[in-house]
Amino acid sequence: MGNNESMSKLIISGGLPLQGELRASGAKNAVLPILAATLLADAPMTIGNVPHLQDVTTTMELLGQMGVELVVDERMNIQVDPRTIHTFHAPYELVRTMRASILVLGPLLARFGQAEVSLPGGCAIGSRPVNLHIKGLEAMGATIKVENGYIRARAERLKGAHIALDLVTVTGTENLLMAATLARGTTIIENAAREPEVVDLADCLNAMGARISGAGTDTLVIEGIDRLGGANYQVLPDRIETATYLLAGAITGGRVKVKGTRPDTLEAVLLKMEEAGIRVNTGPDWIEVDMAGNRPKAVRIRTAPYPAFPTDMQAQFVALNAVAEGVGMITETVFENRFMHVQELHRMGAQIELEGNTAISIGIPRLTGAPVMATDLRASASLILAALVADGDTVVDRIYHIDRGYDCIEEKLAQLGARIRRTPG
Ligand code: UD1
């Protein structure tokens, strides 16, 4: 990313109720593992419904550096030909900007018997280790050394194993799932993540010929096979993007419909919206919220792995509680330090106190615009939501965080009537 781009800011003038409809993009957290899974194929693949995101660009750069051929058409279908791969290395410079790069570890090891992937290191929301990825691959017979900041892994051929994960990890489950598809024998992963994006990855792998059952439950059974072929696969809609726009509608007292989405992946979130007094309507592939000009009611939330309330929606609900009627309580149990947005919301007048991993808020009717700084992806989303209900202008700095995970955010918000623009530098 160029310097100019990383310096750009969003300027939002709040106060207007958002009205209208928009279409959900493909899920960031599904497309990243699916792009990594193309490394397992011995034929070209086509991935459709790919969102236009910096994390997708980074993943393409990562695969491209390994020698994989990628072609993107004007409708964001990506054709991937993994057969030209010549390097099995994921460098620090890329992994540092996107932790999900760790997802190439399992596929490289399973298909090519070797991988060298930089350790991701810390990030804004906590230490986020990858010990369970490593432990699981070792159980499948890999030899792994961590030296000079790199994970160096080798294996003749991985073998099936019985793995019980100590805690629920999304990318950890995905790495082991991908590795197991080409292992000799059967792998059982217990305490597996049940996120819809894990199911989407399993569906894609099965379309490539894999034999995976149990996706969406906490036990995955993978019968290893000798080769995986190509497939044409459409990525699942993004539930976090969907819910963020629905909240943008609700927090401003407006009415917003998101089309091309999956209400069944958002049950816990929609229930909390209803508790907050938001009227929610759903159809097979759409969700509409209507706030009818009302103020939301503060809610209590505890984040946890799917199907419970997702940590990736925590920051946005902290913004909702900040302007809601009553006392709100939001407890983060997945990440140790994911409340960076709270001090930025204070700058906009929010009354929120942090006690350990709980944010306690006393809602106030209106926030005030202020210069604020995005610190991570979902924190940025919460600042934008707050800005939409603030009096005056809010200038959000470091928005490269938001471009990692939200496809065309200012176009989509402008389509709903928000006053938002991007400045260069
Ligand atoms: C994924 C999502 C991210 C989401 C998170 C939790 C992607 C690309 N990212 O991140 O958007 O916020 O799930 O839903 O899908 N842990 C360990 N050891 C490990 C692995 C994880 O201790 O080896 C811990 C983490 O520090 C964290 C918890 O497990 O406290 C859950 O993290 P995990 O599910 O692994 O998150 P990611 O897969 O990185």
Side-chain angles (χ1 to χ4, degrees):
M1 192 180 303
N3 253 345
N4 276 342
E5 202 179 333
S6 61
M7 296 291 287
S8 62
K9 300 177 172 59
L10 284 178
I11 303 177
I12 297 159
S13 310
L16 289 181
L18 300 193
Q19 303 276 358
E21 48 182 56
L22 51 84
R23 181 159 288 279
S25 294
K28 170 179 92 73
N29 286 353
V31 72
L32 302 180
I34 286 171
L35 283 170
T38 64
L39 293 171
L40 293 162
D42 62 11
M45 305 249 318
T46 305
I47 314 296
N49 199 31
V50 174
H52 198 279
L53 302 175
Q54 185 57 41
D55 274 6
V56 169
T57 311
T58 305
T59 306
M60 290 176 65
E61 198 179 330
L62 176 63
L63 298 179
Q65 282 189 6
M66 294 177 187
V68 173
E69 275 178 24
L70 300 123
V71 182
V72 189
D73 71 18
E74 64 290 349
R75 303 188 58 221
M76 280 301 281
N77 291 305
I78 305 187
Q79 278 172 42
V80 189
D81 190 343
R83 292 172 300 184
T84 46
I85 193 166
H86 49 65
T87 325
F88 311 104
H89 175 82
Y92 177 62
E93 295 68 49
L94 288 179
V95 180
R96 173 172 76 104
T97 63
M98 188 188 66
R99 295 180 39 87
S101 315
I102 190 75
L103 286 165
V104 300
L105 178 62
L108 286 176
L109 193 56
R111 170 103 168 87
F112 305 104
Q114 54 176 306
E116 190 179 59
V117 178
S118 171
L119 276 175
C123 81
I125 65 174
S127 68
R128 296 182 81 171
V130 290
N131 56 310
L132 298 174
H133 303 231
I134 294 175
K135 207 171 142 194
L137 292 170
E138 281 174 343
M140 297 172 75
T143 309
I144 302 186
K145 279 194 216 131
V146 178
E147 49 190 17
N148 310 110
Y150 278 84
I151 302 166
R152 298 204 166 105
R154 290 198 169 262
E156 277 291 309
R157 179 171 178 190
L158 293 175
K159 54 184 195 321
H162 193 146
I163 299 164
L165 293 167
D166 292 340
L167 50 84
V168 180
T169 159
V170 176
T171 50
T173 300
E174 292 167 342
N175 239 336
L176 300 177
L177 171 63
M178 291 188 281
T181 57
L182 289 180
R184 182 179 292 122
T186 300
T187 299
I188 299 171
I189 306 174
E190 285 187 75
N191 200 24
R194 298 154 67 184
E195 268 65 3
E197 293 77 18
V198 175
V199 178
D200 208 39
L201 171 64
D203 286 346
C204 177
L205 291 165
N206 282 340
M208 295 160 70
R211 296 193 192 140
I212 300 164
S213 59
T217 76
D218 63 4
T219 307
L220 294 171
V221 180
I222 307 108
E223 203 188 306
I225 54 175
D226 291 337
R227 57 166 293 266
L228 290 177
N232 187 329
Y233 195 79
Q234 296 288 316
V235 175
L236 165 93
D238 197 313
R239 61 193 166 105
I240 305 299
E241 185 207 30
T242 296
T244 301
Y245 287 112
L246 294 174
L247 271 198
I251 203 171
T252 58
R255 184 161 71 140
V256 165
K257 181 175 185 177
V258 181
K259 298 187 296 186
T261 191
R262 285 264 307 270
D264 60 308
T265 61
L266 277 164
E267 282 176 11
V269 175
L270 297 182
L271 277 174
K272 283 298 161 188
M273 287 188 186
E274 286 176 338
E275 258 182 66
I278 303 169
R279 206 180 310 145
V280 180
N281 273 310
T282 62
D285 64 350
W286 56 266
I287 307 173
E288 185 176 47
V289 296
D290 190 353
M291 202 65 205
N294 295 322
R295 192 175 162 198
K297 294 196 279 272
V299 286
R300 283 177 170 239
I301 290 175
R302 205 179 156 81
T303 67
Y306 194 87
F309 188 94
T311 172
D312 285 350
M313 281 305 297
Q314 177 258 103
Q316 299 88 320
F317 270 82
V318 169
L320 186 83
N321 271 353
V323 295
E325 224 176 288
V327 176
M329 281 236 274
I330 300 190
T331 301
E332 173 61 53
T333 75
V334 179
F335 291 111
E336 61 194 40
N337 177 28
R338 203 178 198 182
F339 280 119
M340 310 284 275
H341 40 289
V342 167
Q343 46 187 321
E344 298 302 305
L345 292 170
H346 284 161
R347 300 171 51 77
M348 302 176 72
Q351 293 185 22
I352 309 170
E353 219 175 286
L354 279 180
E355 272 186 28
N357 58 354
T358 299
I360 304 165
S361 52
I362 300 172
I364 56 170
R366 300 199 76 80
L367 297 167
T368 49
V372 292
M373 203 165 70
T375 50
D376 67 66
L377 174 55
R378 306 306 169 183
S380 337
S382 87
L383 298 179
I384 290 175
L385 294 186
L388 290 170
V389 269
D391 287 325
D393 286 358
T394 297
V395 181
V396 186
D397 200 354
R398 302 209 180 158
I399 53 165
Y400 51 86
H401 288 293
I402 204 136
D403 294 329
R404 287 191 40 223
Y406 287 89
D407 187 358
C408 300
I409 188 152
E410 64 266 43
E411 286 84 346
K412 286 192 174 189
L413 283 174
Q415 198 176 325
L416 302 176
R419 290 173 296 187
I420 179 168
R421 65 195 166 84
R422 187 179 289 242
T423 66

